[in-house]
């Protein structure tokens, strides 16, 4: 089978934004890229593709990653807007996908403003329906903006592709200098907190800790960890506390650089960055990236090697975006048994749903019937893109007898073209992967005759026929 012709790269709007951000004229940038001003103008207007030579010059002159120009511009924004257009509010606004993509490529700031406005409207509508806000509440800044702190922090993580190089570097240097003896990383972290910061780490009984898994007593300088937390969890909490104690300035500077001024969102972002630091101490970037490549991204082997949990490793794999040592651009999703999404991270462009659950045909849900077993699956979204994912159940801590035990499953996935590097896909026929057709969720999926459909697609008219019963309870018109 002959190799497919290389895809031509048209990224004119992104090239133009780069030039404007650097405050360069077309003549100046053309000179620095060794092309003529007229050819640069043709590339910026998408009348000519960006050549390999130009990509190399962009990397050499401006320090940009060529792969950023090879990715589809604004793909995540396109998905976000399509989810907005699925709202019944826009039932009569038939906006073609091509126009949405054009807006994402040429007017990303305008699109971002539209997304922010819609989220404010959506949150205000939900709050009004639930009777959450009184008239006095509307004067609060978060009520006025309509954005909750979690959405704000998620947007920051998305823009950063879940990668913070300054924190990674600091954690890697710290881990390299920390004397880890035979007792392991946790003991070394406990000793460092005690000798350097006079912080005592204690594992306390359930009767003392109650519902708290961790608690830091600032006045007594004691970090107390519940006995029901496993060793990876204890190590993570010790590293988290160390990040707050020793690298507070770095966390604050990073949060300030990311531009979050809302107090609640700022605190949540600081917690998120401290969590990132903790994972980077447990799994230092270079060492972890090398091990991931050598093992074929075997999550359970990596968990054993770095004394981490399955979920910790899966999350860490979504952060490997260092330009000099990039990993596979993974996404990660955590759901409960009802399909509610409690975590979502991505270093790529997987189109997460902003609300609702996930497709029931995705085998992340089947993992609850196979606890502890890794399930693999090739999937195809409605836009034709193909992905490969693994899924497995996880748990955060032990549950005392009689208590409710939280049940979660984690999915880790990437575009199908990257799956050749995964140990899990070695038996997959990439020429015929037999990908399962799924949707983002039912309201945004227009696949006909799906037996698992729970709601009609928002942008299709429902077709009611008294004489026919289809496999799907919500038949709809194709156009």
């Amino acid at each position: 089978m002959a190799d497919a012709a290389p895809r031509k790269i048209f990224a004119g709007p992104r090239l133009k934004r780069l030039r404007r951000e650097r405050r360069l004229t077309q003549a100046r940038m053309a000179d620095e890229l060794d092309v003529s001003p007229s050819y640069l103008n043709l590339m910026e207007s998408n009348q000519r593709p960006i050549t390999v030579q130009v990509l190399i010059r962009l990397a050499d002159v401006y320090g940009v990653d060529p792969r950023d120009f090879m990715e589809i511009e604004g793909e995540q924004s396109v998905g976000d807007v399509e989810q907005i257009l699925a709202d019944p509010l826009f039932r009569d606004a038939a906006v073609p996908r091509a126009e949405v993509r054009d807006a994402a490529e040429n007017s990303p700031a305008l699109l971002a403003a539209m997304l922010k406005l819609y989220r404010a409207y959506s949150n205000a509508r939900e709050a009004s329906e639930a009777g959450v806000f009184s008239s006095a509440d509307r004067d609060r800044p978060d009520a006025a903006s309509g954005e909750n702190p979690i959405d704000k922090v998620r947007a920051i993580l998305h823009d950063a592709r879940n990668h913070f190089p300054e924190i990674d570097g600091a954690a890697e240097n710290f881990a390299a200098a920390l004397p880890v003896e035979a007792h392991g990383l946790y003991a070394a972290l406990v000793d460092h907190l005690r000798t350097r910061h006079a912080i005592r780490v204690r594992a306390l009984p359930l009767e003392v800790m109650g519902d708290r898994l961790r608690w830091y007593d600032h006045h007594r300088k004691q970090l107390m960890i519940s006995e029901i937390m496993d060793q990876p969890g204890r190590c993570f909490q010790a590293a988290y506390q160390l990040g707050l104690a020793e690298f507070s300035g770095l966390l604050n500077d990073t949060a300030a650089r990311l531009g979050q001024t809302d107090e609640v969102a700022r605190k949540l972002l600081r917690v998120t960055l401290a969590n990132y630091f903790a994972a980077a101490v447990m799994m230092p970037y270079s060492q972890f990236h090398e091990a991931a490549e050598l093992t074929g991204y075997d999550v359970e082997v990596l968990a054993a090697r770095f004394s981490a949990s399955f979920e910790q490793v899966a999350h860490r794999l979504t952060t490997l975006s260092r330009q000099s040592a990039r990993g596979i651009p993974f996404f990660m999703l955590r759901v409960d048994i009802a399909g509610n999404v409690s975590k979502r991270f991505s270093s790529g462009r997987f189109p997460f749903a902003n609300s609702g659950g996930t497709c029931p045909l995705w085998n992340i849900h089947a993992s609850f019937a196979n606890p502890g077993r890794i399930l693999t699956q090739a999937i195809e979204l409605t836009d034709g893109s193909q992905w490969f994912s693994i899924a497995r159940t996880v748990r955060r801590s032990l549950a005392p007898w009689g208590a409710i035990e939280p049940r979660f499953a984690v999915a880790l996935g990437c575009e199908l073209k990257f799956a050749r590097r995964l140990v899990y896909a070695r038996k997959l026929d990439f020429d015929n992967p037999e990908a399962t057709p799924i949707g983002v969720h039912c309201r945004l999926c227009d696949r006909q005759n799906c037996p698992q459909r729970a709601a009609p697609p928002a942008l299709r008219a429902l077709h009611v026929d008294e004489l026919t019963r289809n496999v799907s309870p919500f038949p709809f018109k194709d156009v």
Side-chain angles (χ1 to χ4, degrees), residues 170-235:
E172 192 167 22
N173 291 336
F174 172 82
L178 186 68
V180 179
E181 305 298 337
H183 296 296
L185 178 61
Y186 176 66
L189 289 170
V190 170
D191 184 66
H192 184 87
L193 284 167
R194 178 180 56 82
T195 57
R196 179 71 181 270
H197 300 284
I199 295 175
R200 184 183 178 191
V201 181
R202 302 175 63 194
L204 295 181
L206 177 66
E207 306 87 71
V208 176
M209 294 296 291
D211 294 331
R212 293 174 294 197
L213 294 178
R214 70 175 297 275
W215 173 36
Y216 179 64
D217 187 331
H218 177 76
H219 298 289
R220 298 170 63 191
K221 302 199 75 171
Q222 287 192 18
L223 173 62
M224 290 159 278
I225 301 175
S226 175
E227 64 181 350
I228 67 173
M229 183 167 281
D230 60 16
Q231 194 65 16
R234 296 184 189 192
C235 190

Side-chain angles (χ1 to χ4, degrees), residues 352-416:
F352 294 119
N354 290 326
S355 60
T358 55
C359 180
L361 298 178
W362 195 2
N363 71 2
I364 184 174
H365 305 288
S367 60
F368 288 107
N370 300 271
R373 178 185 169 196
I374 292 179
L375 305 181
T376 65
Q377 187 180 31
I379 56 177
E380 181 175 309
L381 298 178
T382 52
D383 63 0
S385 63
Q386 293 186 326
W387 304 75
F388 182 83
S389 72
I390 67 171
R392 204 200 80 168
T393 54
V394 297
R395 66 180 185 180
R396 291 181 297 182
S397 60
L398 299 174
W401 174 258
I404 296 175
E405 182 177 359
R407 302 178 66 187
F408 297 100
V410 163
L412 181 72
C414 63
E415 289 185 74
L416 191 64

Side-chain angles (χ1 to χ4, degrees), residues 81-334:
V81 173
E82 288 185 330
Q83 292 186 48
I84 289 176
L85 294 175
D87 191 299
L89 178 71
F90 300 104
R91 191 181 305 278
D92 297 327
V95 182
R97 181 179 174 86
E99 290 189 16
V100 177
R101 187 179 295 278
D102 287 344
E105 291 178 349
N106 297 292
S107 306
L110 182 62
L111 216 59
M114 174 184 171
L115 292 170
K116 185 174 181 179
L117 179 62
Y118 176 79
R119 290 185 184 122
Y121 156 76
S122 180
N123 289 338
R125 180 179 64 185
E126 291 177 6
S128 176
E129 291 173 352
V132 172
F133 294 147
S134 66
S135 58
D137 290 328
R138 295 179 185 133
D139 295 329
R140 291 181 352 201
D142 57 338
S145 68
E147 286 190 297
N148 66 59
I150 294 175
D151 286 340
K152 290 180 180 180
V153 172
R154 279 178 174 169
I156 289 173
L157 295 180
H158 174 261
D159 291 342
R161 299 197 175 190
N162 201 28
H163 178 63
F164 302 95
E166 301 91 343
I167 297 177
D168 257 316
E172 192 167 22
N173 291 336
F174 172 82
L178 186 68
V180 179
E181 305 298 337
H183 296 296
L185 178 61
Y186 176 66
L189 289 170
V190 170
D191 184 66
H192 184 87
L193 284 167
R194 178 180 56 82
T195 57
R196 179 71 181 270
H197 300 284
I199 295 175
R200 184 183 178 191
V201 181
R202 302 175 63 194
L204 295 181
L206 177 66
E207 306 87 71
V208 176
M209 294 296 291
D211 294 331
R212 293 174 294 197
L213 294 178
R214 70 175 297 275
W215 173 36
Y216 179 64
D217 187 331
H218 177 76
H219 298 289
R220 298 170 63 191
K221 302 199 75 171
Q222 287 192 18
L223 173 62
M224 290 159 278
I225 301 175
S226 175
E227 64 181 350
I228 67 173
M229 183 167 281
D230 60 16
Q231 194 65 16
R234 296 184 189 192
C235 190
F236 186 91
Q237 296 304 331
Y240 170 89
Q241 191 63 49
L242 182 132
L244 295 179
E246 193 162 328
F247 294 89
S248 180
L250 173 62
L251 300 179
N252 289 336
D253 291 345
T254 305
R257 177 176 58 80
L258 295 171
Q260 188 50 250
T261 57
D262 175 71
E263 180 65 16
V264 176
R266 185 187 64 78
K267 289 182 178 179
L268 181 58
L269 178 58
R270 180 177 158 88
V271 169
T272 301
L273 296 176
N275 285 334
Y276 187 101
F277 175 86
V281 167
M282 292 179 64
M283 296 164 275
Y285 194 103
S286 297
Q287 185 182 354
F288 182 75
H289 173 262
E290 181 181 11
E293 290 285 345
L294 288 174
T295 62
Y297 291 84
D298 191 318
V299 179
E300 291 181 317
V301 171
L302 292 171
R305 186 171 300 182
F306 290 90
S307 300
S309 70
F310 186 95
E311 183 175 341
Q312 287 170 345
V313 170
H315 188 178
R316 182 63 170 146
L317 286 172
T318 69
T319 70
L320 301 183
S321 297
R322 181 179 288 177
Q323 289 191 12
S324 60
R326 283 205 179 198
I328 291 175
F330 282 108
F331 68 85
M332 171 197 161
L333 198 72
R334 189 182 75 181

